[in-house]
Amino acid sequence: MQKIYEWDKSLETGNEIIDAQHKSMFSALNNLITANEEGKAPLEIQKTIEFLAQYIIQHFADEEKLQEECGYPHIIEHKNRHLDLRNNVTELLKKLYNEGCSSKFVEHIILVMTDWLTRHIKGDDFKLAAYIKIKDLTK
């Protein structure tokens, strides 16, 4: 049985929009875990993975727009880390389409996504949220 990932205060950036989207991504990952453990049809699992991939792309676009609007000084580095995950997700989707949706492969996707997401939130996104908060206080 794979671990269900629970949202907790240690993952909160303090930015409502970013936090809401992160919570949605954790929820989608947990749905994927449940679908995989329940032996759902590969097509259903594939649709969940595709949803998660699209949601990540939308989240990154929203986050990058926020960075541009507030003049975030580390926007290039942040965008590059987003690009790294986008590229990784693209490769995972190609593998999914070429090799199919085995339980082991789904577990790999979940581990990659949760590890990256947790590290990204606690690193880059915390820095972004702190910058936005300071910028708002100085207005």
Side-chain angles (χ1 to χ4, degrees), residues 119-135:
R119 282 186 296 108
H120 186 70
I121 289 170
K122 291 185 175 186
D124 297 313
D125 288 348
F126 276 18
K127 290 176 190 173
L128 171 60
Y131 179 82
I132 292 168
K133 186 182 264 186
I134 289 170
K135 184 123 176 150

Side-chain angles (χ1 to χ4, degrees), residues 10 14 30 52 54 61 68 82 85 94 110 114 122 132 137:
S10 74
N30 285 326
L52 185 58
Q54 286 300 319
E68 289 169 3
H82 285 173
L85 184 62
K94 284 180 188 174
I110 293 164
T114 52
K122 291 185 175 186
I132 292 168
L137 292 174

Side-chain angles (χ1 to χ4, degrees), residues 23-57:
K23 286 177 188 177
S24 293
M25 285 188 271
F26 272 82
S27 179
L29 283 164
N30 285 326
N31 290 342
L32 186 56
I33 290 168
T34 301
N36 193 41
E37 288 179 349
E38 292 176 355
K40 299 282 183 176
L43 185 57
E44 186 174 337
I45 291 173
Q46 180 178 322
K47 285 181 181 182
T48 304
I49 293 169
E50 289 169 343
F51 166 80
L52 185 58
Q54 286 300 319
Y55 196 89
I56 286 169
I57 290 167

Side-chain angles (χ1 to χ4, degrees), residues 64-109:
E64 289 168 8
K65 182 179 177 201
L66 186 61
Q67 291 175 51
E68 289 169 3
E69 289 172 351
C70 74
Y72 187 56
H74 305 290
I75 190 170
I76 300 299
E77 296 90 4
H78 202 127
K79 280 184 171 184
N80 285 338
R81 283 192 256 297
H82 285 173
L83 182 59
D84 287 343
L85 184 62
R86 273 191 206 105
N87 291 340
N88 198 344
V89 167
T90 299
E91 290 304 312
L92 289 170
L93 285 172
K94 284 180 188 174
K95 188 172 181 178
L96 172 70
Y97 298 141
N98 291 330
E99 297 176 19
C101 189
S102 72
S103 181
K104 187 174 180 173
F105 180 68
V106 173
E107 289 172 9
H108 173 70
I109 288 174

